[in-house]
Amino acid sequence: MTQQEIAELAMAGATTLVAAMATDAWTTVRGRFSAFIHRRSPDLHADLEARLDDGAALVARSPDAESARGMLVGLWQGELERFLAAHPDAAEDLEVQTAGMRAALPAVQQQWVQHNIARDRGVVNAVQDGTQHNHYMDSPGTQPPASGA
């Protein structure tokens, strides 16, 4: 496995691990990840669990959870790269564990923010989730101005 492949695999594992922190999936993901590490390096197990819990607590109490996750991804990517360097036979198992952890994550709900501005008697015709919304400048509601007025 090349260094680039190791880095990509470590990034995928770290991203999935950190994405689960402070979610309903955390207990499952933490358990899977901890068991994966323990199989090859039992001496890291106790320290690892404490560090995982510290990371999850950081995300949970952070006013900007995504920023905290971003910081932790780099940390865990480095940890996984070092782990894979010491245990190159663990790469395939990490791929399997990452897929299992990813499946445990809650479904992502996409949230779209769309800003439309109508000026000078302009009209905005916007479509969101398949529904068309018409906004007319200088008119109450979303109805067009009365014709013939």
Side-chain angles (χ1 to χ4, degrees):
M1 184 169 257
T2 68
Q3 184 58 36
Q4 178 67 28
E5 291 170 326
I6 289 171
E8 289 172 2
L9 180 56
M11 176 58 94
T15 301
T16 304
L17 176 67
V18 172
M21 291 180 174
T23 70
D24 292 340
W26 178 237
T27 303
T28 301
V29 169
R30 179 188 179 276
R32 287 185 77 114
F33 185 76
S34 184
F36 161 73
I37 297 293
H38 182 69
R39 281 193 292 276
R40 290 188 174 71
S41 192
D43 54 313
L44 292 177
H45 195 255
D47 180 53
L48 173 81
E49 288 186 342
R51 289 176 37 225
L52 287 169
D53 290 338
D54 288 347
L58 175 72
V59 171
R61 71 176 178 261
S62 175
D64 184 0
E66 289 312 306
S67 177
R69 283 187 174 103
M71 179 190 69
L72 290 169
V73 166
L75 174 89
W76 284 104
Q77 180 183 3
E79 292 289 328
L80 283 172
E81 285 181 21
R82 285 187 289 283
F83 182 81
L84 290 172
H87 305 281
D89 62 317
E92 187 174 317
D93 193 16
L94 179 57
E95 286 184 83
V96 170
Q97 293 305 318
T98 298
M101 291 186 301
R102 191 175 296 123
L105 290 175
V108 176
Q109 292 184 343
Q110 292 184 344
Q111 179 179 353
W112 294 93
V113 177
Q114 184 173 334
H115 299 278
N116 301 299
I117 299 171
R119 290 191 174 91
D120 301 323
R121 303 191 55 81
V123 177
V124 173
N125 297 308
V127 178
Q128 291 180 324
D129 294 324
T131 302
Q132 182 168 344
H133 304 275
N134 302 308
H135 300 277
Y136 300 87
M137 184 63 189
D138 299 330
S139 294
T142 58
Q143 298 300 315
S147 59

